[in-house]
Amino acid sequence: MLTLATEIEVLARFGRALADPIRCRLLLALREAPAHPADLADQLGISRTRLSNHLACLRDCGLVVAVPVGRRARYELADPRLAHALDDLRTAVLAVEADRTCPDADEKGCC
């Protein structure tokens, strides 16, 4: 059973991972299929050094794992449920954004 402190730490790690657009793009790419770092760097249009730093962050957050394949490593989501969580979160945020029920939202910049 998770304690409240542990639950907060888990959510904070997930939030840290999602706080950067490149890490979001990485998670979405790995949601589609596991991939090698060189392929991910090409797909995202970033340097391998920059990619390596972001993959390290995602590994430290416990969201991705490196699977040895011969002399190379292939990255994938640490748990298949993360793909569903990403989909659910993305869908929920889009739904909330589309359902701006506050009549003053545009004028006041709220909601």
PDB file of all heavy atoms in Angstrom, residues 7-20 23-24 27 57-58 60-63 77 81-90:
ATOM      1  N   GLU A   7       2.755   8.445  -2.740  1.00  0.00           N
ATOM      2  CA  GLU A   7       1.887   8.800  -3.864  1.00  0.00           C
ATOM      3  C   GLU A   7       2.266  10.165  -4.428  1.00  0.00           C
ATOM      4  O   GLU A   7       2.294  10.357  -5.644  1.00  0.00           O
ATOM      5  CB  GLU A   7       0.422   8.795  -3.434  1.00  0.00           C
ATOM      6  CG  GLU A   7      -0.129   7.408  -3.201  1.00  0.00           C
ATOM      7  CD  GLU A   7      -1.585   7.425  -2.765  1.00  0.00           C
ATOM      8  OE1 GLU A   7      -2.171   8.511  -2.629  1.00  0.00           O
ATOM      9  OE2 GLU A   7      -2.126   6.335  -2.562  1.00  0.00           O
ATOM     10  N   ILE A   8       2.572  11.097  -3.545  1.00  0.00           N
ATOM     11  CA  ILE A   8       2.973  12.433  -3.988  1.00  0.00           C
ATOM     12  C   ILE A   8       4.293  12.367  -4.743  1.00  0.00           C
ATOM     13  O   ILE A   8       4.452  13.004  -5.790  1.00  0.00           O
ATOM     14  CB  ILE A   8       3.044  13.397  -2.786  1.00  0.00           C
ATOM     15  CG1 ILE A   8       1.628  13.646  -2.263  1.00  0.00           C
ATOM     16  CG2 ILE A   8       3.730  14.705  -3.166  1.00  0.00           C
ATOM     17  CD1 ILE A   8       1.577  14.361  -0.937  1.00  0.00           C
ATOM     18  N   GLU A   9       5.244  11.582  -4.239  1.00  0.00           N
ATOM     19  CA  GLU A   9       6.540  11.431  -4.912  1.00  0.00           C
ATOM     20  C   GLU A   9       6.365  10.835  -6.305  1.00  0.00           C
ATOM     21  O   GLU A   9       7.011  11.262  -7.259  1.00  0.00           O
ATOM     22  CB  GLU A   9       7.474  10.569  -4.074  1.00  0.00           C
ATOM     23  CG  GLU A   9       7.936  11.231  -2.798  1.00  0.00           C
ATOM     24  CD  GLU A   9       8.628  10.263  -1.850  1.00  0.00           C
ATOM     25  OE1 GLU A   9       8.883   9.109  -2.239  1.00  0.00           O
ATOM     26  OE2 GLU A   9       8.905  10.681  -0.713  1.00  0.00           O
ATOM     27  N   VAL A  10       5.496   9.854  -6.421  1.00  0.00           N
ATOM     28  CA  VAL A  10       5.244   9.208  -7.716  1.00  0.00           C
ATOM     29  C   VAL A  10       4.667  10.224  -8.697  1.00  0.00           C
ATOM     30  O   VAL A  10       5.113  10.318  -9.847  1.00  0.00           O
ATOM     31  CB  VAL A  10       4.294   7.996  -7.546  1.00  0.00           C
ATOM     32  CG1 VAL A  10       3.782   7.508  -8.882  1.00  0.00           C
ATOM     33  CG2 VAL A  10       4.993   6.883  -6.786  1.00  0.00           C
ATOM     34  N   LEU A  11       3.691  10.983  -8.261  1.00  0.00           N
ATOM     35  CA  LEU A  11       3.089  11.991  -9.135  1.00  0.00           C
ATOM     36  C   LEU A  11       4.088  13.087  -9.485  1.00  0.00           C
ATOM     37  O   LEU A  11       4.103  13.583 -10.613  1.00  0.00           O
ATOM     38  CB  LEU A  11       1.837  12.583  -8.489  1.00  0.00           C
ATOM     39  CG  LEU A  11       0.634  11.652  -8.422  1.00  0.00           C
ATOM     40  CD1 LEU A  11      -0.499  12.304  -7.630  1.00  0.00           C
ATOM     41  CD2 LEU A  11       0.175  11.261  -9.809  1.00  0.00           C
ATOM     42  N   ALA A  12       4.926  13.457  -8.533  1.00  0.00           N
ATOM     43  CA  ALA A  12       5.942  14.479  -8.798  1.00  0.00           C
ATOM     44  C   ALA A  12       6.944  13.995  -9.844  1.00  0.00           C
ATOM     45  O   ALA A  12       7.348  14.756 -10.722  1.00  0.00           O
ATOM     46  CB  ALA A  12       6.658  14.865  -7.509  1.00  0.00           C
ATOM     47  N   ARG A  13       7.328  12.723  -9.767  1.00  0.00           N
ATOM     48  CA  ARG A  13       8.239  12.161 -10.777  1.00  0.00           C
ATOM     49  C   ARG A  13       7.585  12.196 -12.156  1.00  0.00           C
ATOM     50  O   ARG A  13       8.209  12.548 -13.148  1.00  0.00           O
ATOM     51  CB  ARG A  13       8.615  10.720 -10.415  1.00  0.00           C
ATOM     52  CG  ARG A  13       9.728  10.597  -9.444  1.00  0.00           C
ATOM     53  CD  ARG A  13      10.367   9.210  -9.435  1.00  0.00           C
ATOM     54  NE  ARG A  13       9.469   8.118  -9.697  1.00  0.00           N
ATOM     55  CZ  ARG A  13       9.003   7.278  -8.780  1.00  0.00           C
ATOM     56  NH1 ARG A  13       9.339   7.407  -7.528  1.00  0.00           N
ATOM     57  NH2 ARG A  13       8.200   6.293  -9.112  1.00  0.00           N
ATOM     58  N   PHE A  14       6.326  11.816 -12.218  1.00  0.00           N
ATOM     59  CA  PHE A  14       5.609  11.829 -13.483  1.00  0.00           C
ATOM     60  C   PHE A  14       5.507  13.258 -14.015  1.00  0.00           C
ATOM     61  O   PHE A  14       5.724  13.511 -15.199  1.00  0.00           O
ATOM     62  CB  PHE A  14       4.220  11.212 -13.302  1.00  0.00           C
ATOM     63  CG  PHE A  14       3.530  10.836 -14.575  1.00  0.00           C
ATOM     64  CD1 PHE A  14       4.069   9.887 -15.419  1.00  0.00           C
ATOM     65  CD2 PHE A  14       2.331  11.425 -14.928  1.00  0.00           C
ATOM     66  CE1 PHE A  14       3.432   9.536 -16.602  1.00  0.00           C
ATOM     67  CE2 PHE A  14       1.679  11.082 -16.091  1.00  0.00           C
ATOM     68  CZ  PHE A  14       2.240  10.131 -16.938  1.00  0.00           C
ATOM     69  N   GLY A  15       5.216  14.190 -13.122  1.00  0.00           N
ATOM     70  CA  GLY A  15       5.143  15.594 -13.516  1.00  0.00           C
ATOM     71  C   GLY A  15       6.475  16.124 -14.014  1.00  0.00           C
ATOM     72  O   GLY A  15       6.534  16.867 -14.994  1.00  0.00           O
ATOM     73  N   ARG A  16       7.562  15.745 -13.354  1.00  0.00           N
ATOM     74  CA  ARG A  16       8.896  16.166 -13.789  1.00  0.00           C
ATOM     75  C   ARG A  16       9.179  15.646 -15.195  1.00  0.00           C
ATOM     76  O   ARG A  16       9.717  16.348 -16.034  1.00  0.00           O
ATOM     77  CB  ARG A  16       9.950  15.682 -12.786  1.00  0.00           C
ATOM     78  CG  ARG A  16      11.339  16.192 -13.053  1.00  0.00           C
ATOM     79  CD  ARG A  16      12.344  15.905 -11.940  1.00  0.00           C
ATOM     80  NE  ARG A  16      12.328  14.541 -11.437  1.00  0.00           N
ATOM     81  CZ  ARG A  16      11.849  14.174 -10.245  1.00  0.00           C
ATOM     82  NH1 ARG A  16      11.331  15.064  -9.432  1.00  0.00           N
ATOM     83  NH2 ARG A  16      11.889  12.907  -9.863  1.00  0.00           N
ATOM     84  N   ALA A  17       8.790  14.416 -15.441  1.00  0.00           N
ATOM     85  CA  ALA A  17       9.008  13.838 -16.770  1.00  0.00           C
ATOM     86  C   ALA A  17       8.217  14.592 -17.832  1.00  0.00           C
ATOM     87  O   ALA A  17       8.715  14.838 -18.927  1.00  0.00           O
ATOM     88  CB  ALA A  17       8.624  12.364 -16.770  1.00  0.00           C
ATOM     89  N   LEU A  18       6.993  14.980 -17.499  1.00  0.00           N
ATOM     90  CA  LEU A  18       6.129  15.658 -18.467  1.00  0.00           C
ATOM     91  C   LEU A  18       6.413  17.152 -18.584  1.00  0.00           C
ATOM     92  O   LEU A  18       5.851  17.811 -19.455  1.00  0.00           O
ATOM     93  CB  LEU A  18       4.661  15.452 -18.080  1.00  0.00           C
ATOM     94  CG  LEU A  18       4.143  14.019 -18.162  1.00  0.00           C
ATOM     95  CD1 LEU A  18       2.715  13.962 -17.663  1.00  0.00           C
ATOM     96  CD2 LEU A  18       4.266  13.453 -19.554  1.00  0.00           C
ATOM     97  N   ALA A  19       7.276  17.670 -17.739  1.00  0.00           N
ATOM     98  CA  ALA A  19       7.537  19.116 -17.710  1.00  0.00           C
ATOM     99  C   ALA A  19       8.342  19.601 -18.910  1.00  0.00           C
ATOM    100  O   ALA A  19       8.440  20.804 -19.126  1.00  0.00           O
ATOM    101  CB  ALA A  19       8.259  19.497 -16.422  1.00  0.00           C
ATOM    102  N   ASP A  20       8.892  18.706 -19.681  1.00  0.00           N
ATOM    103  CA  ASP A  20       9.703  19.103 -20.826  1.00  0.00           C
ATOM    104  C   ASP A  20       9.079  18.554 -22.110  1.00  0.00           C
ATOM    105  O   ASP A  20       8.768  17.364 -22.191  1.00  0.00           O
ATOM    106  CB  ASP A  20      11.122  18.552 -20.660  1.00  0.00           C
ATOM    107  CG  ASP A  20      12.036  19.031 -21.759  1.00  0.00           C
ATOM    108  OD1 ASP A  20      12.028  18.413 -22.850  1.00  0.00           O
ATOM    109  OD2 ASP A  20      12.747  20.028 -21.530  1.00  0.00           O
ATOM    110  N   ARG A  23      10.747  15.408 -23.571  1.00  0.00           N
ATOM    111  CA  ARG A  23      10.428  14.176 -22.852  1.00  0.00           C
ATOM    112  C   ARG A  23       9.002  13.723 -23.150  1.00  0.00           C
ATOM    113  O   ARG A  23       8.743  12.525 -23.264  1.00  0.00           O
ATOM    114  CB  ARG A  23      10.656  14.364 -21.350  1.00  0.00           C
ATOM    115  CG  ARG A  23      12.140  14.455 -21.014  1.00  0.00           C
ATOM    116  CD  ARG A  23      12.415  14.305 -19.540  1.00  0.00           C
ATOM    117  NE  ARG A  23      11.903  15.392 -18.736  1.00  0.00           N
ATOM    118  CZ  ARG A  23      12.568  16.507 -18.460  1.00  0.00           C
ATOM    119  NH1 ARG A  23      13.781  16.694 -18.943  1.00  0.00           N
ATOM    120  NH2 ARG A  23      12.026  17.434 -17.687  1.00  0.00           N
ATOM    121  N   CYS A  24       8.091  14.671 -23.306  1.00  0.00           N
ATOM    122  CA  CYS A  24       6.724  14.303 -23.709  1.00  0.00           C
ATOM    123  C   CYS A  24       6.733  13.622 -25.073  1.00  0.00           C
ATOM    124  O   CYS A  24       6.079  12.595 -25.265  1.00  0.00           O
ATOM    125  CB  CYS A  24       5.829  15.539 -23.751  1.00  0.00           C
ATOM    126  SG  CYS A  24       5.427  16.216 -22.144  1.00  0.00           S
ATOM    127  N   LEU A  27       8.107  10.100 -24.706  1.00  0.00           N
ATOM    128  CA  LEU A  27       7.121   9.177 -24.130  1.00  0.00           C
ATOM    129  C   LEU A  27       6.054   8.798 -25.153  1.00  0.00           C
ATOM    130  O   LEU A  27       5.666   7.629 -25.245  1.00  0.00           O
ATOM    131  CB  LEU A  27       6.472   9.794 -22.886  1.00  0.00           C
ATOM    132  CG  LEU A  27       7.371   9.875 -21.658  1.00  0.00           C
ATOM    133  CD1 LEU A  27       6.723  10.732 -20.579  1.00  0.00           C
ATOM    134  CD2 LEU A  27       7.691   8.482 -21.124  1.00  0.00           C
ATOM    135  N   CYS A  57      16.784  11.058 -17.635  1.00  0.00           N
ATOM    136  CA  CYS A  57      15.753  11.613 -16.752  1.00  0.00           C
ATOM    137  C   CYS A  57      14.554  10.673 -16.688  1.00  0.00           C
ATOM    138  O   CYS A  57      14.045  10.374 -15.603  1.00  0.00           O
ATOM    139  CB  CYS A  57      15.326  12.994 -17.238  1.00  0.00           C
ATOM    140  SG  CYS A  57      13.968  13.711 -16.268  1.00  0.00           S
ATOM    141  N   LEU A  58      14.111  10.192 -17.844  1.00  0.00           N
ATOM    142  CA  LEU A  58      12.958   9.289 -17.874  1.00  0.00           C
ATOM    143  C   LEU A  58      13.258   7.962 -17.183  1.00  0.00           C
ATOM    144  O   LEU A  58      12.377   7.384 -16.540  1.00  0.00           O
ATOM    145  CB  LEU A  58      12.495   9.058 -19.320  1.00  0.00           C
ATOM    146  CG  LEU A  58      11.904  10.286 -20.014  1.00  0.00           C
ATOM    147  CD1 LEU A  58      11.633   9.994 -21.482  1.00  0.00           C
ATOM    148  CD2 LEU A  58      10.640  10.748 -19.310  1.00  0.00           C
ATOM    149  N   ASP A  60      15.437   7.682 -14.662  1.00  0.00           N
ATOM    150  CA  ASP A  60      15.471   8.030 -13.239  1.00  0.00           C
ATOM    151  C   ASP A  60      14.065   8.180 -12.667  1.00  0.00           C
ATOM    152  O   ASP A  60      13.835   7.891 -11.490  1.00  0.00           O
ATOM    153  CB  ASP A  60      16.258   9.315 -13.009  1.00  0.00           C
ATOM    154  CG  ASP A  60      17.745   9.139 -13.257  1.00  0.00           C
ATOM    155  OD1 ASP A  60      18.218   7.979 -13.315  1.00  0.00           O
ATOM    156  OD2 ASP A  60      18.442  10.165 -13.402  1.00  0.00           O
ATOM    157  N   CYS A  61      13.139   8.630 -13.490  1.00  0.00           N
ATOM    158  CA  CYS A  61      11.740   8.765 -13.061  1.00  0.00           C
ATOM    159  C   CYS A  61      11.020   7.418 -13.052  1.00  0.00           C
ATOM    160  O   CYS A  61       9.881   7.324 -12.597  1.00  0.00           O
ATOM    161  CB  CYS A  61      10.996   9.744 -13.972  1.00  0.00           C
ATOM    162  SG  CYS A  61      11.507  11.451 -13.767  1.00  0.00           S
ATOM    163  N   GLY A  62      11.661   6.393 -13.588  1.00  0.00           N
ATOM    164  CA  GLY A  62      11.067   5.059 -13.611  1.00  0.00           C
ATOM    165  C   GLY A  62      10.052   4.850 -14.709  1.00  0.00           C
ATOM    166  O   GLY A  62       9.250   3.923 -14.650  1.00  0.00           O
ATOM    167  N   LEU A  63      10.086   5.704 -15.740  1.00  0.00           N
ATOM    168  CA  LEU A  63       9.081   5.611 -16.798  1.00  0.00           C
ATOM    169  C   LEU A  63       9.537   4.824 -18.016  1.00  0.00           C
ATOM    170  O   LEU A  63       8.700   4.307 -18.759  1.00  0.00           O
ATOM    171  CB  LEU A  63       8.642   7.016 -17.218  1.00  0.00           C
ATOM    172  CG  LEU A  63       8.012   7.846 -16.094  1.00  0.00           C
ATOM    173  CD1 LEU A  63       7.667   9.233 -16.599  1.00  0.00           C
ATOM    174  CD2 LEU A  63       6.795   7.149 -15.526  1.00  0.00           C
ATOM    175  N   LEU A  77       8.676   1.804 -22.744  1.00  0.00           N
ATOM    176  CA  LEU A  77       8.001   2.216 -21.517  1.00  0.00           C
ATOM    177  C   LEU A  77       8.215   1.139 -20.460  1.00  0.00           C
ATOM    178  O   LEU A  77       8.202  -0.055 -20.772  1.00  0.00           O
ATOM    179  CB  LEU A  77       6.511   2.432 -21.760  1.00  0.00           C
ATOM    180  CG  LEU A  77       6.138   3.577 -22.704  1.00  0.00           C
ATOM    181  CD1 LEU A  77       4.637   3.634 -22.904  1.00  0.00           C
ATOM    182  CD2 LEU A  77       6.665   4.913 -22.191  1.00  0.00           C
ATOM    183  N   ARG A  81       1.025  -0.087 -18.805  1.00  0.00           N
ATOM    184  CA  ARG A  81      -0.030   0.785 -18.276  1.00  0.00           C
ATOM    185  C   ARG A  81       0.306   2.257 -18.471  1.00  0.00           C
ATOM    186  O   ARG A  81      -0.586   3.108 -18.490  1.00  0.00           O
ATOM    187  CB  ARG A  81      -0.281   0.484 -16.801  1.00  0.00           C
ATOM    188  CG  ARG A  81      -0.932  -0.890 -16.599  1.00  0.00           C
ATOM    189  CD  ARG A  81      -1.046  -1.220 -15.154  1.00  0.00           C
ATOM    190  NE  ARG A  81       0.303  -1.465 -14.617  1.00  0.00           N
ATOM    191  CZ  ARG A  81       0.557  -1.965 -13.430  1.00  0.00           C
ATOM    192  NH1 ARG A  81      -0.436  -2.248 -12.616  1.00  0.00           N
ATOM    193  NH2 ARG A  81       1.784  -2.166 -13.022  1.00  0.00           N
ATOM    194  N   LEU A  82       1.598   2.573 -18.636  1.00  0.00           N
ATOM    195  CA  LEU A  82       1.983   3.964 -18.872  1.00  0.00           C
ATOM    196  C   LEU A  82       1.421   4.482 -20.187  1.00  0.00           C
ATOM    197  O   LEU A  82       1.074   5.654 -20.301  1.00  0.00           O
ATOM    198  CB  LEU A  82       3.503   4.118 -18.845  1.00  0.00           C
ATOM    199  CG  LEU A  82       4.138   3.999 -17.467  1.00  0.00           C
ATOM    200  CD1 LEU A  82       5.654   3.902 -17.588  1.00  0.00           C
ATOM    201  CD2 LEU A  82       3.736   5.171 -16.608  1.00  0.00           C
ATOM    202  N   ALA A  83       1.324   3.616 -21.192  1.00  0.00           N
ATOM    203  CA  ALA A  83       0.738   4.027 -22.474  1.00  0.00           C
ATOM    204  C   ALA A  83      -0.713   4.444 -22.263  1.00  0.00           C
ATOM    205  O   ALA A  83      -1.156   5.467 -22.785  1.00  0.00           O
ATOM    206  CB  ALA A  83       0.832   2.893 -23.491  1.00  0.00           C
ATOM    207  N   HIS A  84      -1.445   3.662 -21.480  1.00  0.00           N
ATOM    208  CA  HIS A  84      -2.841   3.998 -21.183  1.00  0.00           C
ATOM    209  C   HIS A  84      -2.926   5.277 -20.355  1.00  0.00           C
ATOM    210  O   HIS A  84      -3.806   6.116 -20.593  1.00  0.00           O
ATOM    211  CB  HIS A  84      -3.530   2.847 -20.450  1.00  0.00           C
ATOM    212  CG  HIS A  84      -3.625   1.591 -21.253  1.00  0.00           C
ATOM    213  ND1 HIS A  84      -4.445   1.472 -22.354  1.00  0.00           N
ATOM    214  CD2 HIS A  84      -2.973   0.406 -21.139  1.00  0.00           C
ATOM    215  CE1 HIS A  84      -4.312   0.266 -22.871  1.00  0.00           C
ATOM    216  NE2 HIS A  84      -3.423  -0.389 -22.159  1.00  0.00           N
ATOM    217  N   ALA A  85      -2.007   5.424 -19.402  1.00  0.00           N
ATOM    218  CA  ALA A  85      -2.009   6.630 -18.563  1.00  0.00           C
ATOM    219  C   ALA A  85      -1.754   7.871 -19.410  1.00  0.00           C
ATOM    220  O   ALA A  85      -2.417   8.903 -19.225  1.00  0.00           O
ATOM    221  CB  ALA A  85      -0.957   6.507 -17.467  1.00  0.00           C
ATOM    222  N   LEU A  86      -0.814   7.775 -20.341  1.00  0.00           N
ATOM    223  CA  LEU A  86      -0.534   8.916 -21.224  1.00  0.00           C
ATOM    224  C   LEU A  86      -1.752   9.244 -22.079  1.00  0.00           C
ATOM    225  O   LEU A  86      -2.099  10.415 -22.257  1.00  0.00           O
ATOM    226  CB  LEU A  86       0.675   8.621 -22.107  1.00  0.00           C
ATOM    227  CG  LEU A  86       2.024   8.592 -21.397  1.00  0.00           C
ATOM    228  CD1 LEU A  86       3.081   7.981 -22.298  1.00  0.00           C
ATOM    229  CD2 LEU A  86       2.425   9.983 -20.948  1.00  0.00           C
ATOM    230  N   ASP A  87      -2.388   8.226 -22.615  1.00  0.00           N
ATOM    231  CA  ASP A  87      -3.597   8.446 -23.420  1.00  0.00           C
ATOM    232  C   ASP A  87      -4.709   9.070 -22.587  1.00  0.00           C
ATOM    233  O   ASP A  87      -5.364  10.020 -23.024  1.00  0.00           O
ATOM    234  CB  ASP A  87      -4.087   7.130 -24.032  1.00  0.00           C
ATOM    235  CG  ASP A  87      -3.214   6.639 -25.165  1.00  0.00           C
ATOM    236  OD1 ASP A  87      -2.485   7.465 -25.753  1.00  0.00           O
ATOM    237  OD2 ASP A  87      -3.239   5.433 -25.452  1.00  0.00           O
ATOM    238  N   ASP A  88      -4.917   8.536 -21.387  1.00  0.00           N
ATOM    239  CA  ASP A  88      -5.974   9.065 -20.515  1.00  0.00           C
ATOM    240  C   ASP A  88      -5.689  10.511 -20.124  1.00  0.00           C
ATOM    241  O   ASP A  88      -6.595  11.353 -20.145  1.00  0.00           O
ATOM    242  CB  ASP A  88      -6.116   8.206 -19.259  1.00  0.00           C
ATOM    243  CG  ASP A  88      -6.717   6.847 -19.533  1.00  0.00           C
ATOM    244  OD1 ASP A  88      -7.286   6.645 -20.638  1.00  0.00           O
ATOM    245  OD2 ASP A  88      -6.617   5.966 -18.656  1.00  0.00           O
ATOM    246  N   LEU A  89      -4.454  10.796 -19.774  1.00  0.00           N
ATOM    247  CA  LEU A  89      -4.095  12.157 -19.380  1.00  0.00           C
ATOM    248  C   LEU A  89      -4.267  13.128 -20.537  1.00  0.00           C
ATOM    249  O   LEU A  89      -4.853  14.199 -20.387  1.00  0.00           O
ATOM    250  CB  LEU A  89      -2.651  12.189 -18.866  1.00  0.00           C
ATOM    251  CG  LEU A  89      -2.146  13.531 -18.372  1.00  0.00           C
ATOM    252  CD1 LEU A  89      -2.991  14.038 -17.214  1.00  0.00           C
ATOM    253  CD2 LEU A  89      -0.690  13.407 -17.952  1.00  0.00           C
ATOM    254  N   ARG A  90      -3.778  12.743 -21.710  1.00  0.00           N
ATOM    255  CA  ARG A  90      -3.905  13.595 -22.903  1.00  0.00           C
ATOM    256  C   ARG A  90      -5.372  13.839 -23.232  1.00  0.00           C
ATOM    257  O   ARG A  90      -5.791  14.978 -23.468  1.00  0.00           O
ATOM    258  CB  ARG A  90      -3.189  12.932 -24.082  1.00  0.00           C
ATOM    259  CG  ARG A  90      -3.157  13.749 -25.346  1.00  0.00           C
ATOM    260  CD  ARG A  90      -2.390  13.022 -26.445  1.00  0.00           C
ATOM    261  NE  ARG A  90      -2.792  11.636 -26.605  1.00  0.00           N
ATOM    262  CZ  ARG A  90      -3.846  11.236 -27.305  1.00  0.00           C
ATOM    263  NH1 ARG A  90      -4.614  12.108 -27.909  1.00  0.00           N
ATOM    264  NH2 ARG A  90      -4.146   9.954 -27.400  1.00  0.00           N
TER     265      ARG A  90
END
